[in-house]
Amino acid sequence: MYKLIALDMDGTLLNSDKTISERNKNAIKEARKKGVYVVLASGRPIDGLLNFLEDLDLISDDDYVLSYNGCLVQKSKSRDVISSVSIKGSDLDYLYKLSKEVGVNIHAFSKDRGLITPKNSKYTQYEADQNFITVKEVSHDNLDLNEEIIKIMMIDEPDILDNGIKKLPKELEEKYSIAKSAPFFLEFFNKEANKGLGLELLAKHLGIRKEEIITMGDAMNDYPMISYAGLGIAMGNACDEIKEIANYVTDSNDNDGVAKAIEKFVLND
């Protein structure tokens, strides 16, 4: 019997119009009635998930959320931290200088200051609007090199970002976990942090074996948790790499793929 379902948000639980279908809501509700934990696992900060957590009634003393691609695992109501894996201001300083060299914009999430950037841009504002947070334009010339940074993102028009990525040094793959979570987002976080590790730490906290876990996702930042789980499920709209490692491919995010998988593997068992 499965005891925990971890769901990516964009491209998975959310439709193309960024809402949760009634069928998906009902399937999640019925799974929870059977005692199954349902956990949102997203690259977004918890504030960007709050409306969805409320919509799904996933805010209680016994509900959890994986935010920032697993860098932060916490209770959704009290926000008590289960695990936190971050990087530093020195990493932001390094990546900021690289971003200028390759010609792309950059922003970061500071634990204390929130969403910070040396210059607001289209996709930084998009990030802020999507997550209901504000942008703080701050100089990166005198960063506190010990400041706790949750994640850093290079952001730009897809063609500009892709061109910039080609110019990045290979050593970055040794220093950071890197995930392209959208055509215009390249994310950098602690080498030890990803959705898979965050899920593993939460599972240990709850006393749940990986064989008792279902995960669903569509993009490369979902790869670690899809490969970790006992049942890794790719969305019908997932990238080929995710479909290749998945145990099962469900329908697309616009055709209730999450609900159909929950109905098949949890509600009809």
Side-chain angles (χ1 to χ4, degrees), residues 37-249:
Y37 287 96
V38 178
V39 178
L40 303 187
S42 175
R44 299 176 184 226
I46 192 170
D47 286 330
L49 297 170
L50 193 57
N51 285 352
F52 302 115
L53 290 166
E54 292 174 343
D55 197 22
L56 294 168
D57 194 25
L58 292 176
I59 299 185
S60 76
D61 291 328
D62 205 28
D63 286 310
Y64 300 83
V65 61
L66 275 70
S67 57
Y68 297 110
N69 280 318
C71 292
L72 192 61
V73 181
Q74 57 192 141
K75 290 189 172 184
S76 60
K77 183 178 180 179
S78 66
R79 302 203 180 190
D80 289 346
V81 174
I82 305 303
S83 69
S84 176
V85 185
S86 59
I87 48 182
K88 293 185 177 183
S90 56
D91 297 291
L92 178 54
D93 181 60
Y94 170 61
L95 290 172
Y96 168 56
K97 291 172 181 174
L98 270 181
S99 73
K100 291 197 293 183
E101 289 178 15
V102 303
V104 299
N105 285 303
I106 193 169
H107 64 234
F109 284 90
S110 162
K111 184 177 180 181
D112 295 326
R113 295 191 288 166
L115 178 57
I116 59 174
T117 182
K119 180 186 70 174
N120 199 2
S121 63
K122 174 182 176 180
Y123 291 113
T124 295
Q125 192 59 52
Y126 173 86
E127 177 87 338
D129 293 342
Q130 285 287 104
N131 294 300
F132 311 103
I133 55 180
T134 58
V135 180
K136 295 179 182 176
E137 288 192 46
V138 297
S139 172
H140 280 27
D141 294 333
N142 296 295
L143 287 168
D144 177 354
L145 300 185
N146 290 312
E147 180 177 7
E148 189 170 354
I149 302 294
I150 301 171
K151 72 173 180 177
I152 299 164
M153 301 170 68
M154 291 187 183
I155 40 95
D156 226 305
E157 297 294 341
D159 57 334
I160 295 175
L161 182 59
D162 286 343
N163 187 54
I165 289 172
K166 293 176 184 176
K167 300 176 184 176
L168 292 174
K170 292 293 184 182
E171 69 185 59
L172 289 181
E173 296 177 3
E174 300 174 3
K175 290 174 65 71
Y176 306 102
S177 281
I178 304 173
K180 192 176 185 185
S181 56
F184 40 80
F185 284 160
L186 185 69
E187 307 192 11
F188 299 84
F189 29 92
N190 188 293
K191 184 68 176 177
E192 301 302 316
N194 56 60
K195 289 185 182 182
L197 177 63
L199 185 58
E200 180 180 358
L201 294 172
L202 176 59
K204 287 180 179 178
H205 175 77
L206 296 173
I208 294 174
R209 295 179 295 114
K210 69 177 184 178
E211 292 81 10
E212 299 171 318
I213 297 174
I214 296 174
T215 57
M216 301 189 214
D218 71 304
M220 287 305 292
N221 61 329
D222 300 315
Y223 193 106
M225 76 170 186
I226 296 293
S227 58
Y228 170 76
L231 179 61
I233 298 177
M235 302 303 294
N237 52 286
C239 64
D240 290 340
E241 293 89 342
I242 295 297
K243 289 180 177 179
E244 286 174 5
I245 65 161
N247 303 112
Y248 180 78
V249 179

